[in-house]
Amino acid sequence: MVGHAPDDPLAVDSAGAYSLAMTFLPRLRTALCWALAGAALVGVGSLAAQRVPIRRLGPPLAVLSHEFSLVNSLRELSGDRVLVTDFIDNVVLLADLGADRVTPFGRIGDGPGEYRQVFPLLPMGRDTTLMGNAIARRWLMITRDTTLRTLAPGTDLTRKLQDVAALLGFDERGNMLGIRMRPRTTADDVELPIHTVLVSLRGSQEDTIDTRTKAFRRLGSPSDPPVAYVLTTDDEAVIAPDGWIALVRHAPYRVDWRAPDGRTSRGRAVDEPAVPVDEREKASYRARLASQTTPLTRRRPGTASGSSTPPRGTTIWPDIIPPFDGVGAVLPARGGRILVRRTPTASRPEPRYDLFSATRGREFQLVLAPNQRIQATGTRGLYVVTTDDDGIERISVHPWPTP
């Protein structure tokens, strides 16, 4: 069944929202030099050193035997079910972990209830999920019975969705967290004010959660050699289902919080030695990049595999390794908790995640196997993707580690 969704997404499922603020929508990666970050880290050198406990994943609670090509989004549903999008196979799947069964649904196309390419899954209500194409400004809603419905254009909801440059997620109170950007340019520089806003989907209320400005030099003419900025990223903001908002900072590395009642708190800076970007770290970065496959180069087993190589032209390196890097590095959870994926280094190349809480700061660091990543969090645990030697991915759910 296909058709248009109601104007109010909360009317689809009045039981409340269960939200993971996952988004891979395009975000601007700034060109600031990380020398500023290094100077800021020096300023916290007087803090007492923080020795973080190390935790490992426990045995899986459930494993899906289905072979995925490239999992790029996962959303926990009620019962033992999850929704999964596979970027390469371009399909939305409903998976039952208890029964070890995966069922694709939906159709490829441009009509009502159809999609041309899968996009990240954003929870909007209990078992109600939004999947949108921000570039095409087209949004689909997946309801409890796995019906895909196209949001009608011109509604209050679609106008609010289109008014943000990046959609970060929703909470169970009917609020949307997003980013607005209004660049200002001069002859030599570009200034980019970035506003993180909390918008009510039921009314006109809007709160600005965070405002910061990035500035960088304008690039040369199109005929100039390309410039690649590596190991750079912006501060990240995420929202959890119960309304906790985390603002993860780089300089110094810390997490600031906004509670569901609006109270704010500044997190303690993490005191750890800075890792200079020397020739060893550059070689380690290039080796990791060359060993990775991307959505455009990965192939099915038995066919030629592609590889990623650093872009040609001038590469701009930061002075130090940033604490986290890349879209999707921050995963929210209920109860004022988040996981932050750390940037690999030559001495610590394995996947590592810092767990922060609003009350205790950084509680522990979770270390995974080299072929694993955490795709999402949920009430049942951590959803982990494991990639085998043939590039096939499988999903498992593991219990939350204890502090």
Side-chain angles (χ1 to χ4, degrees):
M1 177 180 179
V2 297
H4 288 294
D7 292 352
D8 183 359
L10 303 176
V12 175
D13 212 330
S14 60
Y18 181 72
S19 158
L20 305 171
M22 298 288 293
T23 181
F24 293 88
L25 300 179
R27 302 182 188 179
L28 181 66
R29 296 171 63 86
T30 64
L32 282 176
C33 176
W34 267 94
L36 296 176
L41 286 175
V42 171
V44 300
S46 60
L47 296 176
Q50 300 174 13
R51 299 182 62 182
V52 58
I54 301 298
R55 298 288 182 266
R56 303 279 179 174
L57 285 176
L61 303 173
V63 179
L64 285 172
S65 59
H66 181 81
E67 297 181 349
F68 296 90
S69 296
L70 182 60
V71 176
N72 72 326
S73 186
L74 185 148
R75 185 264 202 265
E76 185 183 68
L77 302 175
S78 59
D80 288 331
R81 302 178 305 155
V82 295
L83 284 176
V84 184
T85 56
D86 190 310
F87 186 91
I88 291 180
D89 292 344
N90 197 30
V91 64
V92 184
L93 304 106
L94 177 66
D96 189 322
L97 286 97
D100 189 18
R101 181 175 60 246
V102 173
T103 305
F105 66 93
R107 297 194 306 268
I108 304 297
D110 298 315
E114 298 176 338
Y115 58 88
R116 180 59 58 185
Q117 175 66 53
V118 295
F119 280 85
L121 301 169
L122 298 174
M124 292 195 68
R126 193 184 68 175
D127 291 356
T128 299
T129 307
L130 187 72
M131 184 176 76
N133 184 338
I135 300 176
R137 296 313 214 189
R138 190 168 184 269
W139 308 89
L140 287 89
M141 190 177 294
I142 305 173
T143 56
R144 182 180 304 177
D145 58 355
T146 63
T147 298
L148 273 74
R149 306 184 181 202
T150 303
L151 288 178
T155 65
D156 183 60
L157 172 60
T158 53
R159 284 193 294 268
K160 290 177 177 178
L161 291 172
Q162 293 172 358
D163 194 41
V164 294
L167 177 59
L168 305 180
F170 305 89
D171 68 12
E172 62 191 7
R173 302 182 180 186
N175 297 312
M176 175 184 75
L177 189 69
I179 289 177
R180 292 200 181 100
M181 297 182 290
R182 300 288 188 269
R184 299 190 295 261
T185 61
T186 65
D188 299 319
D189 302 300
V190 176
E191 287 189 353
L192 186 65
I194 302 173
H195 305 280
T196 303
V197 294
L198 187 67
V199 180
S200 172
L201 296 180
R202 287 196 172 112
S204 58
Q205 183 176 357
E206 178 177 313
D207 295 326
T208 299
I209 306 301
D210 184 54
T211 298
R212 58 197 184 277
T213 300
K214 295 295 183 181
F216 51 92
R217 303 287 296 179
R218 298 186 68 178
L219 299 179
S221 66
S223 60
D224 291 342
V227 176
Y229 290 87
V230 299
L231 294 174
T232 60
T233 187
D234 195 11
D235 293 350
E236 293 284 339
V238 293
I239 186 169
D242 52 6
W244 279 96
I245 296 175
L247 301 168
V248 189
R249 311 294 193 182
H250 279 87
Y253 176 39
R254 71 179 196 273
V255 180
D256 299 336
W257 296 91
R258 184 185 189 273
D261 61 5
R263 292 178 300 166
T264 61
S265 60
R266 180 186 174 96
R268 179 187 179 188
V270 173
D271 182 27
E272 58 186 15
V275 179
V277 179
D278 54 17
E279 292 305 318
R280 179 170 178 257
E281 290 298 336
K282 292 179 182 179
S284 176
Y285 173 84
R286 294 188 182 101
R288 289 195 304 271
L289 190 64
S291 66
Q292 293 174 355
T293 55
T294 69
L296 298 180
T297 60
R298 187 176 297 183
R299 299 290 184 267
R300 283 290 197 177
T303 64
S305 61
S307 62
S308 298
T309 56
R312 295 181 178 179
T314 302
T315 300
I316 305 298
W317 298 90
D319 288 345
I320 63 171
I321 298 291
F324 62 96
D325 176 56
V327 174
V330 182
L331 303 174
R334 287 182 175 269
R337 295 181 298 169
I338 62 167
L339 285 168
V340 180
R341 185 182 67 235
R342 300 301 304 270
T343 305
T345 63
S347 59
R348 293 185 175 182
E350 68 279 354
R352 295 175 296 134
Y353 294 79
D354 286 339
L355 184 135
F356 288 87
S357 71
T359 56
R360 299 181 181 179
R362 187 170 69 162
E363 295 190 16
F364 60 80
Q365 189 169 93
L366 181 62
V367 180
L368 275 61
N371 63 336
Q372 292 181 321
R373 70 179 185 272
I374 300 176
Q375 189 67 44
T377 69
T379 58
R380 290 190 292 273
L382 304 176
Y383 292 89
V384 176
V385 174
T386 303
T387 307
D388 65 19
D389 294 338
D390 294 321
I392 294 298
E393 298 187 341
R394 290 179 175 84
I395 295 173
S396 57
V397 58
H398 300 253
W400 278 92
T402 58

XYZ file of all heavy atoms in Angstrom, residues 297-363:
512
model
N 33.304 1.707 -4.827
C 34.316 0.783 -5.324
C 34.115 -0.641 -4.844
O 34.692 -1.559 -5.399
C 35.717 1.234 -4.888
O 35.773 1.261 -3.446
C 36.028 2.617 -5.414
N 33.298 -0.846 -3.799
C 33.119 -2.202 -3.293
C 32.345 -3.047 -4.293
O 31.424 -2.596 -4.948
C 32.394 -2.179 -1.942
C 32.336 -3.547 -1.294
C 31.706 -3.485 0.079
N 32.496 -2.682 0.982
C 32.173 -2.521 2.257
N 31.092 -3.076 2.748
N 32.938 -1.772 3.030
N 32.739 -4.297 -4.393
C 32.100 -5.216 -5.329
C 31.670 -6.485 -4.602
O 32.114 -6.790 -3.508
C 33.074 -5.601 -6.464
C 33.534 -4.422 -7.297
C 32.400 -3.869 -8.153
N 32.871 -2.787 -9.017
C 32.819 -1.506 -8.697
N 32.351 -1.142 -7.515
N 33.249 -0.582 -9.528
N 30.809 -7.240 -5.265
C 30.389 -8.525 -4.747
C 31.558 -9.499 -4.743
O 32.487 -9.372 -5.536
C 29.267 -9.100 -5.617
C 27.911 -8.460 -5.357
C 27.399 -8.867 -4.015
N 25.975 -8.622 -3.877
C 25.278 -8.951 -2.819
N 25.895 -9.525 -1.791
N 24.003 -8.703 -2.743
N 31.562 -10.518 -3.859
C 32.623 -11.524 -3.886
C 32.719 -12.176 -5.257
O 31.707 -12.430 -5.924
C 32.180 -12.523 -2.820
C 31.311 -11.732 -1.900
C 30.605 -10.742 -2.773
N 33.938 -12.410 -5.695
C 34.147 -13.037 -6.987
C 34.378 -12.055 -8.113
O 34.681 -12.450 -9.232
N 34.215 -10.759 -7.826
C 34.476 -9.747 -8.836
C 35.648 -8.900 -8.391
O 36.094 -8.964 -7.249
C 33.241 -8.856 -9.059
O 32.983 -8.138 -7.841
C 32.028 -9.682 -9.407
N 36.153 -8.098 -9.317
C 37.309 -7.266 -8.996
C 36.926 -6.251 -7.939
O 35.881 -5.617 -8.004
C 37.795 -6.554 -10.263
N 37.779 -6.089 -6.950
C 37.513 -5.137 -5.880
C 38.213 -3.824 -6.171
O 39.258 -3.793 -6.807
C 37.991 -5.693 -4.525
O 39.384 -5.911 -4.563
N 37.628 -2.749 -5.691
C 38.225 -1.438 -5.864
C 38.957 -1.032 -4.611
O 38.944 -1.702 -3.599
N 39.627 0.066 -4.686
C 40.335 0.584 -3.514
C 40.256 2.097 -3.518
O 40.006 2.721 -4.538
C 41.798 0.141 -3.513
O 42.466 0.664 -4.640
N 40.469 2.655 -2.347
C 40.471 4.103 -2.202
C 41.908 4.591 -2.140
O 42.729 4.021 -1.437
C 39.727 4.510 -0.931
O 38.380 4.099 -1.005
N 42.218 5.630 -2.871
C 43.561 6.215 -2.833
C 43.426 7.689 -2.525
O 42.419 8.320 -2.852
C 44.278 6.025 -4.185
O 43.474 6.599 -5.220
C 44.503 4.553 -4.471
N 44.414 8.270 -1.894
C 44.343 9.696 -1.584
C 44.189 10.516 -2.851
O 44.746 10.190 -3.901
C 45.682 9.968 -0.902
C 46.138 8.642 -0.384
C 45.643 7.645 -1.380
N 43.404 11.581 -2.820
C 43.214 12.405 -4.015
C 44.517 13.088 -4.430
O 45.386 13.363 -3.606
C 42.170 13.430 -3.552
C 42.319 13.478 -2.066
C 42.708 12.096 -1.659
N 44.627 13.337 -5.717
C 45.794 14.046 -6.227
C 45.677 15.527 -5.903
O 44.603 16.070 -5.749
C 45.915 13.835 -7.734
C 46.191 12.384 -8.126
C 46.322 12.248 -9.633
N 46.622 10.888 -10.015
C 46.775 10.492 -11.273
N 46.670 11.372 -12.268
N 47.035 9.215 -11.547
N 46.819 16.178 -5.864
C 46.823 17.589 -5.546
C 47.503 17.831 -4.208
O 48.313 17.043 -3.738
N 47.185 18.952 -3.600
C 47.780 19.333 -2.327
C 46.959 18.781 -1.173
O 45.745 18.984 -1.124
C 47.872 20.864 -2.214
O 48.644 21.366 -3.302
C 48.521 21.262 -0.901
N 47.627 18.095 -0.257
C 46.963 17.570 0.926
C 47.317 18.444 2.120
O 48.492 18.682 2.403
C 47.383 16.118 1.203
O 47.032 15.312 0.079
C 46.689 15.577 2.444
N 46.301 18.930 2.812
C 46.489 19.777 3.989
C 46.281 18.916 5.229
O 45.201 18.362 5.439
C 45.508 20.961 4.002
C 45.626 21.753 2.705
C 45.756 21.831 5.223
C 46.991 22.363 2.477
N 47.352 18.790 6.021
C 47.299 17.981 7.230
C 47.126 18.864 8.458
O 47.675 19.959 8.507
C 48.587 17.163 7.381
C 48.848 16.188 6.282
C 49.543 16.426 5.132
C 48.424 14.837 6.212
N 49.584 15.291 4.352
C 48.904 14.295 4.999
C 47.692 14.005 7.070
C 48.674 12.984 4.623
C 47.451 12.703 6.700
C 47.939 12.195 5.486
N 46.419 18.374 9.478
C 46.384 19.115 10.740
C 47.690 18.927 11.500
O 48.518 18.091 11.142
C 45.206 18.474 11.484
C 45.189 17.069 10.977
C 45.599 17.148 9.534
N 47.884 19.678 12.552
C 49.078 19.531 13.371
C 48.979 18.324 14.310
O 49.985 17.713 14.641
C 49.320 20.794 14.201
C 49.801 21.962 13.342
O 50.208 21.693 12.195
O 49.745 23.104 13.803
N 47.766 18.019 14.744
C 47.559 16.880 15.640
C 46.404 16.044 15.129
O 45.573 16.504 14.347
C 47.277 17.336 17.089
C 45.977 18.141 17.127
C 48.434 18.134 17.655
C 45.497 18.442 18.531
N 46.361 14.784 15.571
C 45.242 13.910 15.229
C 44.004 14.386 15.984
O 44.031 14.516 17.216
C 45.555 12.447 15.619
C 46.766 11.928 14.841
C 44.338 11.561 15.381
C 46.521 11.743 13.365
N 42.899 14.665 15.297
C 41.697 15.094 16.005
C 41.117 13.941 16.821
O 41.295 12.777 16.472
C 40.753 15.505 14.874
C 41.226 14.738 13.690
C 42.710 14.618 13.833
N 40.433 14.221 17.928
C 39.900 13.144 18.772
C 38.877 12.279 18.059
O 38.790 11.075 18.316
C 39.286 13.888 19.959
C 39.067 15.287 19.467
C 40.151 15.549 18.483
N 38.084 12.861 17.166
C 37.137 12.077 16.364
C 37.023 12.732 15.006
O 37.268 13.926 14.843
C 35.775 11.946 17.054
C 35.074 13.254 17.289
C 34.124 13.727 16.405
C 35.358 14.018 18.415
C 33.465 14.934 16.623
C 34.712 15.228 18.648
C 33.764 15.680 17.752
N 36.648 11.949 14.014
C 36.675 12.446 12.641
C 35.659 11.685 11.822
O 35.610 10.454 11.853
C 38.073 12.264 12.042
C 38.135 12.687 10.583
O 37.792 13.840 10.295
O 38.513 11.859 9.750
N 34.824 12.407 11.106
C 33.914 11.756 10.188
C 32.463 11.847 10.605
O 32.120 11.869 11.793
N 31.581 11.909 9.614
C 30.146 11.943 9.855
C 29.710 10.626 10.496
O 30.152 9.556 10.111
C 29.390 12.186 8.537
C 27.899 12.072 8.737
C 29.757 13.542 7.963
N 28.837 10.710 11.475
C 28.358 9.511 12.148
C 29.271 9.014 13.237
O 29.112 7.884 13.707
N 30.232 9.838 13.684
C 31.162 9.403 14.719
C 30.540 9.407 16.101
O 31.103 8.825 17.025
C 32.410 10.289 14.714
N 29.396 10.058 16.273
C 28.748 10.155 17.581
C 27.408 9.438 17.531
O 26.564 9.716 16.674
C 28.556 11.624 17.993
C 27.930 11.699 19.380
C 29.879 12.374 17.960
N 27.209 8.497 18.459
C 25.982 7.708 18.526
C 25.285 7.979 19.855
O 25.872 7.757 20.920
C 26.291 6.218 18.407
C 27.046 5.771 17.145
C 27.409 4.299 17.239
C 26.205 6.032 15.901
N 24.030 8.455 19.837
C 23.334 8.773 21.080
C 22.609 7.561 21.651
O 22.327 6.588 20.953
C 22.336 9.845 20.649
C 21.978 9.430 19.242
C 23.226 8.830 18.645
N 22.298 7.647 22.943
C 21.510 6.623 23.625
C 20.669 7.311 24.690
O 20.878 8.489 25.013
C 22.414 5.553 24.238
N 19.748 6.566 25.252
C 18.899 7.116 26.308
C 19.703 7.355 27.579
O 20.791 6.825 27.759
C 17.737 6.178 26.605
C 16.641 6.158 25.531
C 15.505 5.236 25.945
N 14.411 5.293 24.987
C 13.382 6.126 25.072
N 13.321 6.984 26.093
N 12.428 6.122 24.171
N 19.120 8.189 28.468
C 19.696 8.381 29.780
C 20.915 9.265 29.811
O 21.703 9.193 30.755
N 21.097 10.141 28.812
C 22.256 11.022 28.808
C 23.554 10.286 28.582
O 24.523 10.476 29.325
N 23.612 9.446 27.547
C 24.827 8.707 27.200
C 25.074 8.825 25.703
O 24.145 8.894 24.903
C 24.705 7.223 27.566
C 24.586 6.930 29.043
C 24.508 5.433 29.280
N 23.327 4.845 28.641
C 23.115 3.540 28.510
N 24.020 2.683 28.949
N 22.017 3.092 27.937
N 26.349 8.816 25.317
C 26.718 8.778 23.909
C 27.991 7.949 23.754
O 28.751 7.746 24.707
C 26.965 10.184 23.311
C 28.133 10.878 24.024
C 25.712 11.020 23.307
C 28.636 12.102 23.300
N 28.200 7.472 22.532
C 29.446 6.824 22.138
C 30.121 7.689 21.086
O 29.472 8.152 20.143
C 29.186 5.426 21.566
C 28.826 4.321 22.564
C 28.314 3.090 21.814
C 30.024 3.949 23.412
N 31.426 7.913 21.235
C 32.202 8.708 20.285
C 33.284 7.820 19.683
O 34.131 7.284 20.404
C 32.849 9.929 20.958
C 33.644 10.743 19.929
C 31.792 10.799 21.628
N 33.252 7.644 18.360
C 34.263 6.844 17.673
C 35.544 7.663 17.533
O 35.562 8.728 16.921
C 33.753 6.421 16.297
C 34.693 5.469 15.555
C 34.165 5.120 14.187
N 34.164 6.278 13.306
C 33.094 6.730 12.660
N 31.935 6.135 12.810
N 33.165 7.792 11.875
N 36.635 7.169 18.094
C 37.898 7.876 18.078
C 38.616 7.729 16.728
O 38.442 6.729 16.019
C 38.818 7.360 19.194
C 38.247 7.522 20.600
C 37.957 8.982 20.924
N 39.129 9.822 20.765
C 40.005 10.070 21.735
N 39.835 9.540 22.940
N 41.036 10.857 21.514
N 39.423 8.715 16.398
C 40.225 8.654 15.182
C 41.362 7.652 15.359
O 42.107 7.730 16.337
C 40.821 10.030 14.866
O 39.770 10.995 14.804
C 41.560 10.008 13.538
N 41.524 6.695 14.456
C 42.639 5.737 14.570
C 43.987 6.448 14.465
O 44.121 7.479 13.807
C 42.418 4.778 13.392
C 40.995 4.966 12.996
C 40.668 6.396 13.303
N 44.992 5.867 15.099
C 46.355 6.364 15.004
C 47.276 5.194 14.677
O 46.858 4.028 14.677
C 46.805 7.020 16.319
O 46.807 6.026 17.359
C 45.879 8.155 16.702
N 48.530 5.497 14.405
C 49.483 4.439 14.072
C 49.663 3.463 15.225
O 49.816 2.248 15.020
C 50.824 5.054 13.682
N 49.641 3.957 16.446
C 49.819 3.083 17.607
C 48.515 2.481 18.098
O 48.519 1.476 18.823
C 50.487 3.854 18.747
O 49.705 4.971 19.115
N 47.395 3.076 17.718
C 46.083 2.563 18.114
C 45.166 2.528 16.891
O 44.249 3.336 16.754
C 45.477 3.428 19.214
C 46.231 3.346 20.540
C 45.511 4.131 21.617
N 46.144 3.972 22.912
C 45.693 4.531 24.029
N 44.614 5.306 23.988
N 46.327 4.332 25.174
N 45.386 1.567 15.987
C 44.601 1.529 14.751
C 43.240 0.866 14.907
O 42.390 0.983 14.031
C 45.494 0.707 13.816
C 46.241 -0.216 14.736
C 46.474 0.564 15.998
N 43.010 0.150 16.023
C 41.764 -0.593 16.186
C 40.586 0.357 16.457
O 40.771 1.474 16.938
C 41.900 -1.589 17.339
C 42.010 -0.951 18.717
C 43.403 -0.453 19.046
O 44.324 -0.705 18.241
O 43.575 0.193 20.109
N 39.352 -0.070 16.147
C 38.184 0.775 16.433
C 38.022 0.971 17.941
O 38.012 0.011 18.708
C 37.012 -0.019 15.852
C 37.633 -0.985 14.875
C 38.978 -1.303 15.428
N 37.906 2.217 18.362
C 37.735 2.549 19.769
C 36.591 3.553 19.910
O 36.456 4.472 19.102
C 39.021 3.143 20.353
C 40.203 2.189 20.388
C 41.469 2.900 20.874
N 41.873 3.949 19.939
C 42.222 5.183 20.306
N 42.174 5.537 21.571
N 42.597 6.080 19.404
N 35.804 3.376 20.945
C 34.667 4.254 21.211
C 34.707 4.700 22.670
O 34.822 3.872 23.575
C 33.337 3.535 20.950
C 33.089 3.166 19.508
C 33.696 2.054 18.935
C 32.234 3.933 18.707
C 33.461 1.712 17.608
C 32.002 3.588 17.385
C 32.618 2.475 16.841
O 32.383 2.139 15.528
N 34.623 6.006 22.884
C 34.515 6.549 24.234
C 33.045 6.620 24.621
O 32.215 7.146 23.849
C 35.118 7.949 24.312
C 36.630 7.941 24.284
O 37.224 6.891 24.593
O 37.222 8.979 23.932
N 32.715 6.124 25.813
C 31.359 6.286 26.324
C 31.345 7.433 27.324
O 32.075 7.419 28.319
C 30.833 5.015 26.988
C 29.369 5.161 27.437
C 28.557 3.930 27.065
C 29.232 5.455 28.927
N 30.529 8.449 27.031
C 30.333 9.590 27.917
C 28.926 9.539 28.504
O 27.977 9.112 27.826
C 30.470 10.909 27.150
C 31.866 11.256 26.733
C 32.390 10.785 25.538
C 32.652 12.088 27.520
C 33.669 11.120 25.134
C 33.943 12.440 27.122
C 34.445 11.953 25.934
N 28.790 9.982 29.744
C 27.482 10.197 30.340
C 27.409 11.616 30.869
O 28.436 12.240 31.172
C 27.210 9.195 31.464
O 28.016 9.479 32.599
N 26.192 12.132 30.979
C 26.013 13.508 31.429
C 26.429 13.692 32.879
O 26.780 14.804 33.289
C 24.559 13.929 31.243
N 26.396 12.624 33.667
C 26.698 12.743 35.094
C 28.136 12.385 35.435
O 28.697 12.910 36.402
C 25.756 11.832 35.899
O 25.861 10.482 35.420
C 24.312 12.309 35.759
N 28.785 11.512 34.654
C 30.108 11.020 35.013
C 31.210 11.389 34.030
O 32.378 11.073 34.253
C 30.079 9.495 35.169
C 29.140 9.002 36.260
C 29.195 7.490 36.353
N 28.288 6.975 37.372
C 28.125 5.685 37.641
N 28.828 4.781 36.958
N 27.279 5.295 38.576
N 30.876 12.023 32.933
C 31.896 12.302 31.929
C 32.266 11.036 31.165
O 31.426 10.169 30.903
N 33.541 10.908 30.813
C 33.971 9.712 30.085
C 34.104 8.548 31.074
O 34.919 8.577 31.986
C 35.292 9.953 29.364
C 35.682 8.779 28.467
C 36.846 9.079 27.567
N 38.106 9.232 28.280
C 39.305 9.155 27.694
N 39.376 8.941 26.385
N 40.402 9.327 28.394
N 33.312 7.485 30.853
C 33.270 6.375 31.792
C 34.221 5.248 31.408
O 34.865 4.655 32.271
C 31.846 5.831 31.908
C 30.863 6.820 32.508
C 29.536 6.171 32.821
O 29.461 4.932 32.872
O 28.549 6.911 33.013
